[in-house]
Amino acid sequence: MARVPVPSAPFVGRTTEMDELAAGWEQARGGAPEVVLLSGEAGVGKSRLIAEIMVLAAGSGATVLTGTCLDAAEAHLPYLPFTEVVDGMRAVRPGLAEEFPALAPLLAGDGPATGAMGQLPLFDAVHRALLAVGAAPTLLVVEDLHWADRSSRDLLAFLLSRPLGPHLMLIVSHRSDLPRAHPLRPLLAQIARRPVVRRIELAPLDGAHALGLVRGLAPAGTSEEVLRAVAERSEGNPFFAEELLAAGTSGGPLPELLGDVLLANVERLAPATQRLVRLASVAGGRWVRHDRLRAAAGLPDDDLDAAVREALDQHVLVPLDPSGPAGYAFRHALLGEALYADLVPGERARWHAAFATAAEHDPAPGAAAELAYHLGRGPDQAGAYAASVRAARESADRGAPADALWHAEQALRLADLLPSTETGADERALRTLAAGSAALAGEPGRAVRHAEAAVALADGSGDPVARAQARCDLVQLVAGLPGGAARAHTAALAARALLDGPPVSAMTVWAEALVARTFLNLGDFAEADRHAGQALELAPALDPDAAGAAVDDARITRSAAVDITGRHAEAEDLLVAAERDAAARGDAEVALRAAGNRGLLRYRAAELAGAVAAFEQAASRAAASGLTWSLYGVQSRMMLDVVRGMTGDWAPVLAGRDERSVAAALPVLVAAGRTEEADRHLAALAEQPAGTVDEDTALLGGVAGCERELWRGRPDAAAAWIDRALAGLDAAGSSWQVARIRPAALGLTAAADTAEGARRGGTPVDQARGDHLHALAHASAASVVRPLGPEALAWLAWADAEHTRLSGRVDDVGGWRAVVAAFGYGDAYPQACARRRFAAVLLATGERDAAAGELREALATAERLGAVPLAEAVRATARHGGLRLGGEQAPPSGLLTPRERSVLTLVADGGTNRQVGEALYISEKTVSVHLTRVMAKLGAANRTEAVRIAYERGLLATTPPVRTPR
């Protein structure tokens, strides 16, 4: 029996293939034999996948057998894999040799007699042995069939032409990149024709999974740069990734042994073809254009064609997609690297120069980068510097910031080796380009380092405008970093001080606007308003085109500052002007930012219809300008769903969400009773590690998860979702204090439900958690610098009312009346939920008519929205209170006698038969008789079910404990 391997490398990126193997294994276990042909290039992970299915099979108690073919070259070791298989079978069936004597040659390790008739007894014995072993679940693996000897291939062909054991799964692995003349090809064609055969071909891992594999393999402390470089060089081949890591290299020479393996096929080619593919390795990257190769090779066309044809036939090169430029790619990038590493210095230098000459005057995109690559590997460092600068600018213009950053940093390294008179370009401009590119590429640390270097270079120039510009660039880079607000403020003040005096320039306005923005970020709204106003006062004297961006930035900052002080109309006018002017000059991002902020103004003021219109406009603007997935584009779509949910326009929220805005739809999914879909999204959210969820998703997901569990009557599970939401806000570094009020309020609902359950069961009530959440809600409200908006005030009122319920009071009529009124700004769903809760309090205080009115309002809203769980809860509350809302059947009169109703009421309150008898002055036995009759009348199986049915049918007038969230 095989030793099941203990996989050491991470198992990533093979979910689909593993699921297919697992499905095949389940079929085999059920009595339908399976054969799997598993193929893939060398090192792609065939053995690793096999190890997983072996672990699965062994874990289910199955027999696992393996046979491995080895590259024995001319050693001629026949039946080597089946010798191992038969040895494994003997471990399972110790009497195997006696049962099947023809297996003796394999058991002894000697090959059988040659000739067809000599093989048949052995083949038959192996087949019958597999039938016997395969009568129970058995996994048989034959690995690396491309190295199998002829006898083993014949035996395998024989076995596959016969019925296999009913519970046997056979997996055969082989390389997919076999030469046309390989002897395994005919057998593979024969096997593949069998209907029982399942074919699985492993492709290289994609980029994300390759990086995940490298992370799992790399030793602790390996830098991110090395991890990414290894993942990229491996091109998704796990073996190459492991070899690169084992050699401790990501950008240096390839491991010697791996290089030898890769070069083996090349050395079989004709000399002219070897020279050609070595030349191709100098082109850079994995592929080479035909015209570049032709120019560099200098061969007659016939000789060039013959060499290319042989390289293609031997799978050293493969043709590029015909839809693109004519050219060729190495079968694997590491093959090109191995060839390049094998070149002598003279070859390398000559051929780089030849490629540079071919690219020098090419105006096509990418030619500058190609030229920089080739010149950078030769003696012309000044030329390489100029080409790198050109490539950096070209990449930036084409919207490729990561490439622009790489070329800019390459140029900066070359500049250190050259006299300043030879660099030509302004190093500060290059630093600025690198800083902006790094920021766009998601490298804030590198962006700040380049910006700081630009500040130092500007200071050396003595030009106050240049010095201020460099500091303004730095402000925008550091302002959004953790702890960067104060640093940005200092830099902005310094920039403004450098321009304190005539003449006033566009840079003066920009510096003033940035000072205002940094004051806003620090919470000093009066100073933000003042400096933004100063920027706007300076601007009219300047060219509108030059100062336009600074003016709009000041407008957006000032709108936020004045809105906080209650000047809402002025705030909106400022945003309208910013959006209009930014759109007119083609600044789509600023126009989108202004439109989104206008929506936020209306949202905070609870002007929901206006907020919907503004967010719709922002979302349309984002789509039209290609900014759908920008920060402001995503935020606008998410907020549009949030506000639509509040207004009750649920259809587009449920129909039009995408993976980035599903969080906004989660509360609506739960409210609409789309349980299965909500559960799927919430389960995916719960699997995400702490600290990896943005604050919007943490908040909305936590709220939805809490409400889902409250509708199910599971307050403890609901509380866990609130804990997750609050922890997610903290992990995201959220300073959005007002966002904590709603989860705290819903957490109080869960705490109050738990307390009610404890009181019914006669167990102690722990109010500590609820008290903490109540304090958190008020502390969060107090820490908000701007006046609380209607939504925050409504949830704060909810928290207060639930805190009262937590304490055991059921008569807080004023508290719940205030909650209903607070949600009157237009948030229909929570207001309807509050009405239902208010009605329960009214019933408890005997105000039945008022309770019925609240329930009718709540039911009408629930039915209009399609809020199924709420509608059901409203009807249940009415039944429990003996109220008729219209449309439902009247409860049957006379079904229960007054005594039976009294007994059942006391049972519903948690009384035992003995306690009920003492309360009613009847015997315990009489109580039991009454309960038996009640259960018979209601068709209930037990006393608990009888209580439930009685409440649902309106037979008990006392309001029961309500376990729903509102």
Side-chain angles (χ1 to χ4, degrees):
M1 187 170 179
R3 179 181 64 84
V4 177
V6 179
S8 57
F11 187 64
V12 297
R14 301 301 188 198
T15 302
T16 300
E17 295 85 353
M18 186 60 198
D19 287 346
E20 192 168 359
L21 283 181
W25 172 242
E26 287 304 313
Q27 287 191 33
R29 290 182 65 197
E34 280 280 320
V35 178
V36 176
L37 278 182
L38 178 64
S39 62
E41 69 178 27
V44 79
K46 299 184 293 294
S47 295
R48 182 65 182 82
L49 180 61
I50 287 171
E52 283 295 313
I53 192 66
M54 288 173 69
V55 170
L56 176 65
S60 66
T63 298
V64 179
L65 305 170
T66 60
T68 304
C69 306
L70 299 179
D71 186 8
E74 301 300 319
H76 294 291
L77 300 175
Y79 301 114
L80 182 63
F82 287 101
T83 299
E84 185 180 354
V85 169
V86 170
D87 190 61
M89 287 195 288
R90 186 168 57 172
V92 178
R93 298 174 73 96
L96 191 71
E98 293 76 20
E99 190 175 3
F100 305 105
L103 292 176
L106 297 187
L107 293 169
D110 297 324
T114 59
M117 290 303 294
Q119 287 180 324
L120 284 177
L122 174 66
F123 288 6
D124 184 69
V126 173
H127 177 242
R128 288 188 291 117
L130 284 175
L131 285 174
V133 173
T138 302
L139 173 64
L140 169 60
V141 176
V142 179
E143 289 200 71
D144 297 325
L145 191 64
H146 49 275
W147 281 328
D149 58 283
R150 168 65 185 271
S151 298
S152 294
R153 296 197 302 270
D154 288 345
L155 174 51
L156 182 64
F158 176 88
L159 294 175
L160 290 175
S161 66
R162 269 69 175 171
L164 296 174
H167 298 283
L168 176 71
M169 180 178 189
L170 169 61
I171 300 176
V172 179
S173 73
H174 67 90
R175 288 186 180 175
S176 56
D177 48 345
L178 299 173
R180 291 180 183 176
H182 196 285
L184 182 59
R185 283 188 175 273
L187 176 59
L188 292 176
Q190 177 185 342
I191 296 173
R193 286 193 293 267
R194 289 181 54 80
V196 72
V197 173
R198 182 193 302 259
R199 304 193 70 169
I200 300 176
E201 182 166 0
L202 287 188
L205 298 171
D206 62 27
H209 287 122
L211 182 58
L213 173 72
V214 173
R215 288 191 196 282
L217 291 169
T222 304
S223 71
E224 183 70 13
E225 183 177 0
V226 168
L227 295 175
R228 292 184 178 276
V230 168
E232 183 176 355
R233 290 185 80 189
S234 73
E235 289 198 346
N237 187 298
F239 169 71
F240 291 152
E242 292 189 46
E243 290 296 309
L244 288 168
L245 284 171
T249 176
S250 64
L254 287 167
E256 182 177 350
L257 291 177
L258 180 57
D260 290 343
V261 171
L262 294 171
L263 291 174
N265 287 336
V266 174
E267 291 171 354
R268 299 189 182 101
L269 303 174
T273 307
Q274 288 191 46
R275 180 182 182 276
L276 184 76
V277 296
R278 290 176 186 277
L279 173 63
S281 74
V282 177
R286 184 175 177 175
W287 63 279
V288 58
R289 283 165 44 181
H290 178 80
D291 59 343
R292 289 281 198 271
L293 188 61
R294 181 175 183 273
L299 290 173
D301 286 347
D302 288 346
D303 293 345
L304 178 67
D305 291 344
V308 168
R309 184 175 294 109
E310 184 183 14
L312 294 174
D313 287 344
Q314 295 302 315
H315 302 287
V316 174
L317 297 178
V318 295
L320 293 180
D321 187 332
S323 63
Y328 318 98
F330 284 101
R331 179 175 54 82
H332 196 285
L334 289 184
L335 175 57
E337 291 186 28
L339 287 165
Y340 184 80
D342 199 48
L343 298 176
V344 298
E347 284 179 308
R348 206 175 285 171
R350 288 195 308 274
W351 287 346
H352 275 301
F355 276 113
T357 300
E360 186 174 7
H361 301 295
D362 190 343
E370 184 183 356
L371 180 62
Y373 168 76
H374 291 297
L375 291 176
R377 281 150 182 80
D380 187 3
Q381 293 180 333
Y385 171 81
S388 295
V389 172
R390 176 184 155 197
R393 291 173 176 164
E394 180 182 280
S395 297
D397 291 342
R398 296 176 64 196
D403 297 302
L405 173 63
W406 190 92
H407 289 299
E409 290 183 335
Q410 184 71 9
L412 289 168
R413 283 190 287 269
L414 289 167
D416 291 338
L417 305 175
L418 296 169
S420 59
T421 55
E422 293 188 23
T423 58
D426 182 354
E427 185 182 350
R428 183 171 64 83
L430 196 56
R431 288 284 183 183
T432 301
L433 174 62
S437 299
L440 292 173
E443 299 277 359
R446 288 165 73 181
V448 170
R449 287 195 296 274
H450 285 301
E452 289 173 334
V455 169
L457 289 168
D459 286 347
S461 71
D463 180 357
V465 175
R467 295 174 67 192
Q469 174 71 69
R471 283 168 173 77
C472 287
D473 292 340
L474 180 63
V475 168
Q476 296 180 82
L477 292 173
V478 302
L481 297 179
R487 186 179 176 190
H489 183 59
T490 300
L493 289 174
R496 182 66 184 90
L498 287 166
L499 302 173
D500 192 14
V504 174
S505 65
M507 183 52 58
T508 308
V509 179
W510 187 238
E512 193 74 66
L514 288 178
V515 169
R517 195 199 299 180
T518 60
F519 269 119
L520 183 70
N521 292 340
L522 290 172
D524 191 336
F525 305 109
E527 283 299 293
D529 182 9
R530 186 172 71 84
H531 282 278
Q534 289 177 355
L536 296 175
E537 290 173 4
L538 293 171
L542 303 173
D543 180 356
D545 292 335
V551 167
D552 288 337
D553 194 88
R555 284 168 169 164
I556 293 172
T557 296
R558 196 176 200 190
S559 73
V562 302
D563 181 59
I564 289 169
T565 63
R567 293 147 57 192
H568 305 304
E570 182 181 352
E572 182 150 9
D573 288 344
L574 287 163
L575 290 176
V576 169
E579 183 180 358
R580 178 197 63 221
D581 292 353
R585 67 172 185 275
D587 194 337
E589 186 172 6
V590 171
L592 176 58
R593 178 184 168 202
N597 279 12
R598 192 156 52 81
L600 290 173
L601 276 184
R602 294 294 186 94
Y603 168 70
R604 284 193 291 263
E607 298 174 10
L608 300 186
V612 167
F615 286 131
E616 284 178 337
Q617 180 181 347
S620 298
R621 186 181 291 283
S625 57
L627 297 174
T628 295
W629 296 106
S630 69
L631 172 64
Y632 297 114
V634 171
Q635 183 187 65
S636 295
R637 293 202 315 280
M638 175 172 281
M639 288 305 302
L640 177 58
D641 278 351
V642 167
V643 182
R644 279 174 169 166
M646 297 170 71
T647 62
D649 186 14
W650 288 2
V653 179
L654 295 172
R657 61 193 177 282
D658 52 51
E659 66 272 15
R660 295 293 296 272
S661 62
V662 70
L666 274 172
V668 178
L669 284 170
V670 172
R674 302 268 282 268
T675 304
E676 183 176 341
E677 189 175 358
D679 283 353
R680 184 171 68 252
H681 290 302
L682 288 170
L685 176 61
E687 291 174 0
Q688 297 187 40
T692 63
V693 180
D694 64 88
E695 59 185 11
D696 291 314
T697 303
L699 171 64
L700 295 168
V703 163
C706 172
E707 184 162 355
R708 177 193 63 174
E709 298 300 342
L710 287 171
W711 284 130
R712 292 174 173 174
R714 302 196 300 185
D716 289 343
W721 274 102
I722 294 303
D723 290 343
R724 182 181 180 85
L726 294 173
L729 291 173
D730 292 340
S734 176
S735 58
W736 188 21
Q737 293 299 326
V738 72
R740 291 167 170 81
I741 299 175
R742 182 179 179 184
L746 288 175
L748 273 161
T749 296
D753 283 0
T754 300
E756 283 189 346
R759 290 188 181 96
R760 288 196 306 271
T763 58
V765 174
D766 184 1
Q767 291 190 208
R769 173 177 164 72
D771 290 341
H772 166 72
L773 289 171
H774 189 241
L776 173 64
H778 280 272
S780 298
S783 66
V784 178
V785 292
R786 67 172 71 240
L788 290 180
E791 183 186 12
L793 290 171
W795 285 112
L796 196 61
W798 185 292
D800 288 341
E802 290 289 25
H803 191 245
T804 301
R805 186 165 70 94
L806 172 68
S807 67
R809 286 184 53 194
V810 296
D811 59 349
D812 187 17
V813 173
W816 283 105
R817 179 178 283 116
V819 177
V820 171
F823 280 107
Y825 61 85
D827 201 346
Y829 178 71
Q831 186 183 45
C833 294
R835 288 187 186 279
R836 192 191 65 81
R837 181 70 70 187
F838 183 29
V841 174
L842 291 170
L843 282 171
T845 56
E847 300 182 52
R848 295 175 57 80
D849 291 343
E854 295 297 330
L855 289 174
R856 290 190 183 96
E857 291 277 359
L859 183 60
T861 300
E863 290 179 337
R864 174 175 61 84
L865 297 176
V868 176
L870 173 60
E872 291 176 350
V874 169
R875 292 189 182 97
T877 301
R879 287 195 300 270
H880 298 162
L883 299 176
R884 294 186 63 187
L885 303 181
E888 71 272 23
Q889 294 181 354
S893 59
L895 181 63
L896 299 181
T897 67
R899 177 63 78 185
E900 289 170 346
R901 187 176 290 109
S902 298
V903 167
L904 195 57
T905 299
L906 292 172
V907 169
D909 288 338
T912 65
N913 285 7
R914 184 174 183 178
Q915 291 169 333
V916 172
E918 291 175 350
L920 297 177
Y921 301 100
I922 59 179
S923 70
E924 187 175 349
K925 183 177 180 179
T926 303
V927 172
S928 178
V929 171
H930 283 308
L931 283 175
T932 300
R933 290 174 179 168
V934 167
M935 288 186 287
K937 289 179 178 180
L938 299 180
N942 52 52
R943 54 196 282 147
T944 302
E945 188 176 355
V947 169
R948 178 182 61 78
I949 293 172
Y951 277 132
E952 290 177 351
R953 297 175 66 177
L955 299 173
L956 295 181
T958 305
T959 304
V962 179
R963 297 185 179 183
T964 44
R966 307 296 191 200

